[in-house]
């Protein structure tokens, strides 16, 4: 199954997917292209180094026109015959116009144990709230922010001396492990949605 990875920045989760692919652990998923909404980000260099087409649709060219931005993304991805999408640090909200275009689904990784701390800066939210455990969530994307059916979660203990950055680094270790696994299972047709529940066969 040909998948697109959508990114906005550093791309460490993209790197985990590319490394899994190189190790033969992403099949039957194949990273067909990488699309960023921001030009010049390190994630694009990671794609280029791996020989994967790196596309840019700069959202600032579509001020206030979310549908126009999404249609431009869909046009780019259509050239690469993509059946499913993985959001890996993609910092734009997507609507059903985009989400419903992919029969294989759209999945995301989020650095908290949802439904706690949706939205931006989840590790900072967790520190500010004083929770003792946070973690990551791999989930299907639906019409609301960080709300879709949950595929995998992993807990990460919060240490007394953690700040948002140190907590986020340990959460990302879990994301890098689980996002490639979820992507391979998605492509293999082994993720079954039943309402909010996701079963792995
Ligand atoms: C990840 O922690 C992801 O959960 C969040 O943004 C971060 C992106 O990191 N949405 P990277 O670009 O994959 O390094």
């Amino acid at each position: 199954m040909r998948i697109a990875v959508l990114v906005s920045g550093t791309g460490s989760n993209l790197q985990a997917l590319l490394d899994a692919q190189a190790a033969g652990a992403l099949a039957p998923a194949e990273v067909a292209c990488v699309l960023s909404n921001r030009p010049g980000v390190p994630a694009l260099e990671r794609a280029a180094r791996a020989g994967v087409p790196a596309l840019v649709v700069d959202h600032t060219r579509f001020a206030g026109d979310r549908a126009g931005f999404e249609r431009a993304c869909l046009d780019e991805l259509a050239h690469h015959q993509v059946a499913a999408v993985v959001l890996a640090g993609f910092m734009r909200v997507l609507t059903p116009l985009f989400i419903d275009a992919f029969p294989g689904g759209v999945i995301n990784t989020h650095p908290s144990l949802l439904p706690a701390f949706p939205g931006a800066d989840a590790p900072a939210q967790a520190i500010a709230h004083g929770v003792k455990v946070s973690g990551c969530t791999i989930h299907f994307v639906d019409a609301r922010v960080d709300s879709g059916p949950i595929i995998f979660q992993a807990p990460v203990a919060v240490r007394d001396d953690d700040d948002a950055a140190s907590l986020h680094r340990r959460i990302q270790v879990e994301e890098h492990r689980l996002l490639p696994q979820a992507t391979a299972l998605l492509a293999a047709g082994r993720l079954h949605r039943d309402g909010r529940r996701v079963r792995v066969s």
Side-chain angles (χ1 to χ4, degrees):
M1 179 187 280
R2 294 171 61 80
I3 61 159
V5 183
L6 270 53
V7 296
S8 297
T10 308
S12 68
N13 280 285
L14 167 65
Q15 192 65 55
L17 291 162
L18 294 171
D19 290 349
Q21 175 157 279
L26 204 63
E30 177 198 347
V31 181
C33 60
V34 170
L35 185 149
S36 173
N37 65 303
R38 293 174 62 207
V41 294
L44 292 166
E45 289 161 33
R46 295 179 193 268
R49 268 203 301 277
V52 173
L55 319 168
V56 176
V57 178
D58 184 347
H59 70 275
T60 62
R61 291 196 293 114
F62 299 87
D65 179 12
R66 198 180 287 278
F69 170 69
E70 292 189 357
R71 272 195 293 270
C73 291
L74 289 172
D75 281 352
E76 287 288 338
L77 299 185
H79 294 135
H80 295 272
Q81 284 115 38
V82 166
V85 171
V86 177
L87 307 183
F90 184 66
M91 302 307 280
R92 307 298 297 171
V93 174
L94 294 167
T95 75
L97 170 74
F98 182 92
I99 298 163
D100 295 345
F102 298 97
V106 180
I107 67 174
N108 180 45
T109 177
H110 181 77
S112 76
L113 293 176
L114 292 170
F117 312 130
D121 300 324
Q125 292 185 57
I127 294 289
H129 198 90
V131 296
K132 300 298 184 190
V133 179
S134 190
C136 72
T137 303
I138 316 293
H139 66 94
F140 281 104
V141 173
D142 67 9
R144 292 182 307 144
V145 174
D146 298 328
S147 81
I150 291 170
I151 301 165
F152 289 139
Q153 292 186 302
V156 172
V158 180
R159 298 178 184 157
D160 289 346
D161 60 352
D162 264 335
D163 58 16
S166 63
L167 176 61
H168 198 176
R169 275 195 297 276
R170 292 203 311 290
I171 290 172
Q172 285 192 318
V173 172
E174 298 302 315
E175 294 189 289
H176 298 166
R177 185 172 64 81
L178 291 180
L179 187 61
Q181 278 183 33
T183 303
L185 290 168
L186 177 77
R190 291 174 59 192
L191 299 180
H192 307 279
R193 297 166 65 160
D194 176 14
R196 285 210 54 86
R197 311 281 302 269
V198 178
R199 193 170 45 80
V200 179
S201 64

